[in-house]
Amino acid sequence: MDILIKPTLKLFISFAILMVQYGNAERVPALFVFGDSLVDVGNNNFLNSIAKSNYFPYGIDFNMQPTGRFCNGKTFVDIIGEMLGVPYPSPFADPYTAGVKLLGGVNYASAAAGILDESGQHYGERYSLRQQVLNFETTLDQLRTMMGRDNLTSFLAKSIAILVFGSNDYINNYLMPSIYASSFNYNPTQFSNLLLNRYAPQLLTLYNLGIRKMFIAGIGPLGCIPNQRATGQAAPGRCVDYVNDILGTFNQGLKSLVDQLNKRPGAIVTYGNTYGAVGDILNNPSTYGFNVVDKGCCGIGRNQGQITCLPFAYPCTNRDQYVFWDAFHPTQAANVILARRAFYGPPLDTYPLNIQQMTLIH
């Protein structure tokens, strides 16, 4: 029986590769996702970490299944994947993420991860940016064996990488002076430059490994998340302005970094203006169908943001009217809007191209 199964499996893999290479020549074959809990789809389930969401009510709107997504439903990248027509990339840490599954891409994102290796370390294990790029190299070794070097080059050039980093370097590092020394060692501008100087080489590594199309998200207005509002540093109903103000240097620098990357042959790199898109939702909530912008749908304490969503907590019932699901993360309803703006938006939302435009360039 074993003799029959192996050739059949090999034939199936060969057929799948042909479909990726030729049958879907006009579309994106795979999505490779790097980032933090905003786009983690279950990697931390397999790590020794307290930053997990593999319990109810997480996933209450994802077929009632807590998968390790830090959301009531779909994440930003889930929705982008649907728009691109690719399957949800499986988490790298899942031992079943192998073989044919790799042909749709892989998700390396890890809750509590930052650009800096030390960011989020008080939560336990996580895949930092550097480790996620190393994990990607492991995937490439497997893909190279499956499809050969030339096919892999073409496959990677058509694929899209999405990167969502930076939030934990602030909320789980720079803004935690009781645990991390970074705010004593660097002023806000210096810290932003430190992050950019660590980010740039990893982006270049992805390019050198064969990735040509990248969507790099900026940091959203962290001073407006329930966790930061709950600190009491701002008046009720207000965001913590200091926190928002220190993010500008990083976001502007990231946009400049995109310009630099686009000078490289074949590079099609775009910057996602998360700060502007989330800010627009928060400033004009009724336009988007939201009623609650300053509280988590699931959480405890001031702004439902002092303690994040605990196992078997009762979330709000009107989840589509909340911008935030828990102390840190947007609801599925907010993610849908952010994904649509990234996919179809003008240069103010996604610079210099949107994701749909990226897919049309071969």
Side-chain angles (χ1 to χ4, degrees):
M1 195 61 146
D2 195 38
I3 296 169
L4 291 173
I5 289 170
K6 286 185 177 175
T8 305
L9 181 61
K10 194 171 182 181
L11 188 66
F12 178 70
I13 291 173
S14 299
F15 178 72
I17 291 167
L18 283 170
M19 286 299 293
V20 165
Q21 292 300 315
Y22 304 107
N24 300 312
E26 294 307 310
R27 75 165 182 87
V28 175
L31 200 55
F32 294 97
V33 180
F34 306 82
D36 52 32
S37 57
L38 291 167
V39 287
D40 186 352
V41 295
N43 278 303
N44 276 34
N45 295 353
F46 301 90
L47 302 180
N48 186 17
S49 169
I50 58 172
K52 294 183 192 281
S53 61
N54 56 343
Y55 55 83
F56 196 80
Y58 286 95
I60 189 171
D61 298 309
F62 197 88
N63 299 323
M64 294 287 280
Q65 291 181 335
T67 58
R69 288 166 169 81
F70 288 75
C71 189
N72 60 304
K74 296 171 186 173
T75 68
F76 170 81
V77 289
D78 290 330
I79 300 156
I80 293 293
E82 289 175 354
M83 291 174 165
L84 291 171
V86 298
Y88 296 153
S90 299
F92 171 83
D94 187 335
Y96 289 102
T97 301
V100 177
K101 268 195 173 183
L102 303 179
L103 296 175
V106 177
N107 187 310
Y108 305 91
S110 176
I115 294 167
L116 303 180
D117 284 349
E118 61 269 26
S119 294
Q121 65 186 3
H122 60 286
Y123 283 105
E125 289 181 347
R126 66 250 168 269
Y127 294 142
S128 65
L129 165 65
R130 183 179 61 84
Q131 185 60 52
Q132 289 182 39
V133 174
L134 290 173
N135 292 346
F136 175 63
E137 293 189 47
T138 301
T139 301
L140 291 188
D141 289 340
Q142 296 173 62
L143 285 170
R144 197 173 290 113
T145 302
M146 288 167 62
M147 64 171 64
R149 190 175 297 276
D150 291 346
N151 281 343
L152 180 59
T153 299
S154 171
F155 171 78
L156 292 175
K158 292 175 187 172
S159 299
I160 291 180
I162 292 181
L163 297 101
V164 181
F165 282 101
S167 296
N168 286 312
D169 295 291
Y170 286 95
I171 55 177
N172 286 310
N173 186 332
Y174 196 74
L175 297 171
M176 273 194 170
S178 61
I179 299 177
Y180 300 92
S182 52
S183 61
F184 302 109
N185 297 331
Y186 305 97
N187 66 36
T189 301
Q190 291 169 336
F191 187 69
S192 295
N193 289 330
L194 172 69
L195 296 181
L196 292 164
N197 288 334
R198 296 284 180 86
Y199 209 168
Q202 299 299 337
L203 295 170
L204 279 174
T205 297
L206 291 177
Y207 174 84
N208 290 332
L209 289 169
I211 290 289
R212 292 294 175 265
K213 297 179 179 181
M214 300 184 219
F215 176 89
I216 307 173
I219 304 176
L222 297 177
C224 300
I225 66 175
N227 163 267
Q228 289 299 304
R229 291 183 193 251
T231 61
Q233 294 179 59
R238 294 281 306 167
C239 299
V240 183
D241 290 337
Y242 162 75
V243 172
N244 286 340
D245 291 344
I246 65 174
L247 304 174
T249 307
F250 175 82
N251 283 334
Q252 281 302 315
L254 194 58
K255 192 175 177 184
S256 299
L257 191 52
V258 163
D259 282 332
Q260 293 299 313
L261 287 167
N262 278 324
K263 292 177 181 175
R264 294 184 171 265
I268 306 164
V269 185
T270 194
Y271 165 76
N273 182 12
T274 314
Y275 193 99
V278 175
D280 185 32
I281 293 169
L282 296 176
N283 289 329
N284 306 286
S286 59
T287 304
Y288 298 98
F290 295 111
N291 293 328
V292 185
V293 300
D294 59 347
K295 295 181 177 68
C297 169
C298 185
I300 298 171
R302 186 187 294 129
N303 299 92
Q304 277 77 62
Q306 286 177 293
I307 300 174
T308 198
C309 192
L310 295 172
F312 298 100
Y314 287 99
C316 64
T317 54
N318 52 338
R319 293 181 285 279
D320 285 349
Q321 294 174 28
Y322 276 67
V323 174
F324 294 102
W325 160 245
D326 60 13
F328 302 96
H329 307 99
T331 55
Q332 174 178 280
N335 281 331
V336 167
I337 294 162
L338 296 174
R340 288 187 65 82
R341 290 179 79 143
F343 201 85
Y344 300 113
L348 185 65
D349 286 341
T350 171
Y351 166 89
L353 302 170
N354 60 40
I355 293 175
Q356 185 183 47
Q357 290 166 332
M358 288 172 74
T359 66
L360 301 174
I361 301 173
H362 300 293

